[in-house]
Amino acid sequence: MLQHNSAPVIAIVDDHPIVIEGLKNLLTSETEFEIVSFTTGNDFLNYLKTNEADVVLLDVVLPDINGLELCRELRKKYPEITVLAISNQAERSIIVQMLQNGASGYLLKNASADELLDGIEKGLRGEEALSHEVKAILSRPATNDWNGIPTLTKREKEILRLISEGLSSTDIADKLFLSQLTVETHRRNIIQKFQTTNMFSVIKLAIEHKII
């Protein structure tokens, strides 16, 4: 744990200004914490080069860095920082991956103010912090989260594999001699087939079920 002469520093990393404002208002009215906020993962990493933070409230979906990867990087470079995921992502695989990557807790954005404050206090004490709904999701058998493996076309599998390797739609379009629009259409179709809302979840499920 970092030692401060002043109040503990809580960093909020979320690309939605309204979420940041809501969290700031709650935390400043209820606590003695010093609050800093960032809308991208890179902004937060740059801040850490010359500043300290005790707790980071980290969104899983950011515009520049996958929150799962950022969590892993923080654990490696700044192990003294307590990482608490705060997200709308309620998929079991995402929650598990975030905790495996070193997060001390996972709270859904619909958690109550008391749950959030309790989670921060637990995180500062080195305890695991999970909101009630997250505990319920984790207590269910993993097989209940997903009904069957979707059938992908050869092209969809190819595109999914390249996405999982970190290629952008533009890179994939160039590599496969397709238009970017075609690649984006395939991406949307893949997400729809997996019955989820984002590509992070798709990749985790695809790896889990050995599709890629």
Side-chain angles (χ1 to χ4, degrees):
M1 189 71 63
L2 293 174
Q3 297 301 312
H4 292 277
N5 296 323
S6 56
V9 177
I10 296 193
I12 303 167
V13 183
D14 194 296
D15 63 335
H16 294 96
I18 195 163
V19 172
I20 288 177
E21 284 310 307
L23 289 171
K24 271 186 179 175
N25 290 339
L26 170 67
L27 294 170
T28 49
S29 65
E30 295 289 338
T31 67
E32 297 297 318
F33 299 131
E34 181 187 334
I35 315 295
V36 292
S37 62
F38 309 89
T39 53
T40 70
N42 279 316
D43 283 348
F44 180 50
L45 288 173
N46 286 332
Y47 165 87
L48 289 176
K49 288 174 184 174
T50 52
N51 300 276
E52 296 177 337
D54 293 285
V55 176
V56 55
L57 300 177
L58 177 63
D59 195 2
V60 175
V61 181
L62 295 169
D64 59 339
I65 303 177
N66 174 344
L68 296 165
E69 298 304 320
L70 179 55
C71 179
R72 188 189 298 143
E73 189 170 344
L74 290 171
R75 295 309 298 159
K76 196 189 302 178
K77 288 185 180 175
Y78 308 98
E80 71 279 3
I81 296 177
T82 297
V83 179
L84 297 178
I86 181 159
S87 176
N88 285 322
Q89 303 298 312
E91 290 94 340
R92 188 179 200 278
S93 58
I94 295 279
I95 297 168
V96 169
Q97 180 87 11
M98 200 73 179
L99 296 173
Q100 286 174 342
N101 282 11
S104 297
Y106 200 108
L107 304 155
L108 294 181
K109 285 184 178 173
N110 63 2
S112 67
D114 286 342
E115 279 186 292
L116 175 62
L117 295 171
D118 183 55
I120 291 169
E121 291 298 338
K122 279 182 176 172
L124 285 168
R125 291 197 300 266
E127 299 171 21
E128 190 173 65
L130 304 173
S131 62
H132 294 311
E133 200 171 331
V134 168
K135 283 180 185 172
I137 293 166
L138 291 177
S139 68
R140 292 180 212 139
T143 49
N144 286 1
D145 281 6
W146 199 34
N147 304 318
I149 301 167
T151 304
L152 299 182
T153 64
K154 187 180 173 185
R155 178 65 89 193
E156 285 170 345
K157 282 184 181 177
E158 191 175 22
I159 287 173
L160 182 55
R161 182 177 55 77
L162 293 172
I163 292 169
S164 74
E165 289 171 4
L167 273 68
S168 68
S169 293
T170 310
D171 295 335
I172 295 168
D174 291 344
K175 191 177 182 73
L176 300 180
F177 305 104
L178 299 170
S179 72
Q180 194 171 332
L181 182 62
T182 301
V183 174
E184 289 294 341
T185 302
H186 280 304
R187 283 180 76 115
R188 278 197 302 276
N189 290 342
I190 293 165
I191 289 171
Q192 197 171 9
K193 282 187 177 184
F194 274 82
Q195 298 172 27
T196 184
T197 55
N198 61 77
M199 193 50 79
F200 302 144
S201 304
V202 170
I203 290 168
K204 297 302 165 200
L205 288 167
I207 292 169
E208 209 173 285
H209 291 266
K210 299 181 171 53
I211 296 172
I212 54 173

